[in-house]
Amino acid sequence: MMEGTPPDTAGRVNRLLEHKKSISEIRVALRIRTAQTVIRWLSGTLAVVLLFTFIVANVAVGWSAIVLANKIAIPIFVLSAGTFWGIRLVEENAEGHYEKKARELKIELEAAEELRLLDAARLGLPVPDRQYSYKDSIPAELDGLRKDGRKYRRKHNVAQAVIILGSLGGTSVSALADTPAPLKYWAMGITFAVAAAAGFAGYYKWRERAFYLQQTADEIERHATAFDLGIYPYDEGGEHLRLAKLAKEIELLRVEQRKREQQLDQPHEGSSEVV
């Protein structure tokens, strides 16, 4: 117990610390379970598609005609199937938070955050203390924005790489005068991959999302740095007024970022109407 702190207040503070620890554990478990679920679905889907394509191609063309493609497809199929069953085995033997599904962990995370907010409200901390707590949460906010920005940027770069390399590969294969049957299937697959990558990149707007997230993170960091250094616009007034101004500016940036995300989620013909 902290010296000079009432027992009831100290107990509530300890409960808030326990809430933060629990929320951090749930977030880690959620990230891991989400990654496991995505990898399991991708590996399982790839294994089924490869098996179906392998059977159809060998029946239609013959083993001898696509022996090279079979030598490539079989190891990939074995790797995909092994990854799928390996993750299933890990999930079945998991304990604690890791035995729950991702959507269950999302609900549990929301409930834990609500409980933390309720306990924080009962604690009745003075406004300056809450403002200091708000300022201390800025680094975590910046980390989350930049992490999401890097995630969207990676997706955009992968899609662009598929489009560029696929376009070159598809053009090269199609340019052959007498394209053998196996290469025709490869050309079809490459064309489909290019079209899918272009469609997903245009629909989800990963590049724009990454740009806006990075822009918001840079603006928040600029305000936080100006506050720490005591430079404009935080070079006048007392600590309480400067903290209030910092919170106001960051909340305005958050609202603007949410509006941008809503605009990106709108259909193309209606996006220009969103302010």
Side-chain angles (χ1 to χ4, degrees), residues 69-250:
N70 289 331
K71 289 181 179 180
I72 298 174
I74 291 175
I76 297 177
F77 167 76
V78 173
L79 178 62
S80 301
T83 301
F84 174 82
W85 289 111
I87 293 179
R88 283 294 302 271
L89 183 63
V90 170
E91 290 175 340
E92 291 176 357
N93 295 329
E95 298 179 354
H97 292 302
Y98 299 96
E99 65 182 357
K100 300 176 183 177
K101 297 180 179 179
R103 61 176 177 270
E104 296 175 344
L105 288 172
K106 287 181 181 178
I107 296 173
E108 187 173 343
L109 177 61
E110 292 176 359
E113 290 177 341
E114 288 293 333
L115 288 174
R116 181 184 65 83
L117 291 175
L118 288 173
D119 273 348
R122 295 192 190 102
L123 186 59
L125 291 174
V127 172
D129 291 347
R130 292 200 297 270
Q131 290 175 339
Y132 273 110
S133 178
Y134 183 89
K135 178 183 175 297
D136 291 339
S137 68
I138 291 177
E141 178 78 10
L142 290 174
D143 183 64
L145 289 171
R146 285 174 173 154
K147 186 178 297 182
D148 289 341
R150 288 193 298 268
K151 178 185 68 176
Y152 289 126
R153 196 174 298 110
R154 282 196 300 268
K155 291 181 178 180
H156 173 75
N157 291 337
V158 170
Q160 291 303 308
V162 171
I163 293 172
I164 295 172
L165 297 178
S167 299
L168 294 174
T171 303
S172 302
V173 172
S174 301
L176 296 176
D178 297 324
T179 306
L183 290 181
K184 288 182 179 179
Y185 292 113
W186 280 103
M188 291 173 57
I190 291 172
T191 303
F192 176 81
V194 170
F200 281 119
Y203 182 80
Y204 290 107
K205 304 178 180 69
W206 292 318
R207 180 176 178 274
E208 291 81 359
R209 294 178 188 275
F211 172 78
Y212 287 136
L213 285 167
Q214 184 62 46
Q215 187 181 60
T216 302
D218 292 341
E219 285 295 316
I220 291 177
E221 185 179 35
R222 182 176 68 84
H223 282 281
T225 302
F227 178 87
D228 291 335
L229 297 178
I231 59 179
Y232 181 83
Y234 304 101
D235 54 347
E236 295 180 358
E239 189 80 0
H240 172 63
L241 293 177
R242 294 193 295 120
L243 281 169
K245 187 172 185 179
L246 176 66
K248 176 184 176 182
E249 293 294 335
I250 292 179

